[in-house]
Amino acid sequence: MDINSIDLTTHNTGKDALIVELLNNINFSEVVDSHLTSHTGRPPEISYGTIGKMMITNMCNDHHPLYLLDEYFEDKDLEGIFHEPIDKTKLTDDRFGVFLDRFYEAGGSKIFSLLSSNAFSKYDIVIKNINYDTTSKVMWGNYNTGNGDEGSISITYGHSKQKRADKKQIKIGLGVANGVVVAGEPLDGNLDDKIYNNQNL
């Protein structure tokens, strides 16, 4: 047999496959699907758990913006990575956008906490300490924010950890226990670290 006459397609699933297996170990799909999937109406063509895993693998490997996720998965063996047949023509930015909307509506912090708990349980991690800290993220352009709307944060000037006092910003707060993130949230750009850290601790 002439090896040059064989039509072969190769795929490199390295990081993606590893990330998916780590997510499987903490029951990512089961947790996400139970909170996002409606009990009435037609089920999604691709489960929310799978869509979530696709977004996370992209962010951890070679981050593409939402509207280019179809390009990221263009040469991937989706069935080999995610263990289910996935029609690549269904990977539209609308589908990923709907996932983010449903995730927000279901309560992202609650879902994240459940997944963190699963990680502690799966790997027998004993919590010895919890540390809270914040970082700042420079925001570019103009932003129209709601007045007193639930869940809205203030994009404004504050103490910039990126040394950009000339730019508005948001802050991101993280709680970490034994190297595992247990809480995370966006914060007002001018929130004082001491107030945030003390309240959360």
Side-chain angles (χ1 to χ4, degrees):
M1 175 183 286
D2 181 7
I3 191 71
N4 295 319
S5 66
I6 302 174
D7 185 18
L8 293 175
T9 303
T10 60
H11 302 278
N12 180 0
T13 63
K15 290 181 185 176
D16 294 316
L18 172 63
I19 294 162
V20 168
E21 290 310 312
L22 289 171
L23 292 171
N24 289 342
N25 282 346
I26 60 171
N27 299 324
F28 180 89
S29 289
E30 292 84 351
V31 171
V32 169
D33 287 337
S34 68
H35 285 82
L36 271 64
T37 305
S38 172
H39 298 294
T40 60
R42 191 175 66 181
E45 292 178 285
I46 304 173
S47 75
Y48 291 117
T50 299
I51 290 294
K53 286 193 284 191
M54 295 180 90
M55 292 182 76
I56 291 171
T57 57
N58 168 63
M59 285 187 287
C60 293
N61 191 6
D62 183 18
H63 192 211
H64 283 52
L66 201 62
Y67 74 98
L68 292 179
L69 280 180
D70 59 333
E71 288 185 11
Y72 174 78
F73 290 110
E74 195 171 51
D75 62 347
K76 306 282 185 184
D77 175 15
L78 297 185
E79 188 167 356
I81 296 170
F82 297 99
H83 312 298
E84 61 182 275
I86 298 172
D87 182 353
K88 291 184 181 180
T89 64
K90 304 289 186 185
L91 300 180
T92 63
D93 54 349
D94 284 344
R95 188 173 302 280
F96 292 106
V98 167
F99 166 82
L100 291 174
D101 288 340
R102 297 300 301 270
F103 190 78
Y104 173 78
E105 292 165 4
S109 295
K110 175 176 64 176
I111 295 170
F112 188 85
S113 293
L114 286 169
L115 293 169
S116 292
S117 297
N118 286 353
F120 282 106
S121 175
K122 170 69 179 178
Y123 296 106
D124 296 321
I125 301 171
V126 178
I127 299 176
K128 296 179 180 176
N129 56 60
I130 298 178
N131 300 302
Y132 278 91
D133 201 1
T134 67
T135 188
S136 60
K137 175 70 176 171
V138 171
M139 304 298 283
W140 301 81
N142 296 320
Y143 296 87
N144 297 320
T145 57
N147 294 323
D149 293 339
E150 183 179 352
S152 66
I153 59 172
S154 176
I155 300 171
T156 187
Y157 298 101
H159 175 70
S160 175
K161 298 183 181 186
Q162 295 171 291
K163 312 297 184 195
R164 292 302 307 263
D166 60 318
K167 296 291 182 187
K168 291 184 178 181
Q169 66 180 18
I170 62 169
K171 285 191 171 180
I172 300 168
L174 288 179
V176 180
N178 296 48
V180 178
V181 177
V182 295
E185 60 183 326
L187 306 167
D188 291 344
N190 60 357
L191 182 67
D192 182 79
D193 282 10
K194 290 179 182 177
I195 293 173
Y196 171 78
N197 293 336
N198 290 337
Q199 284 176 344
N200 281 278
L201 286 171

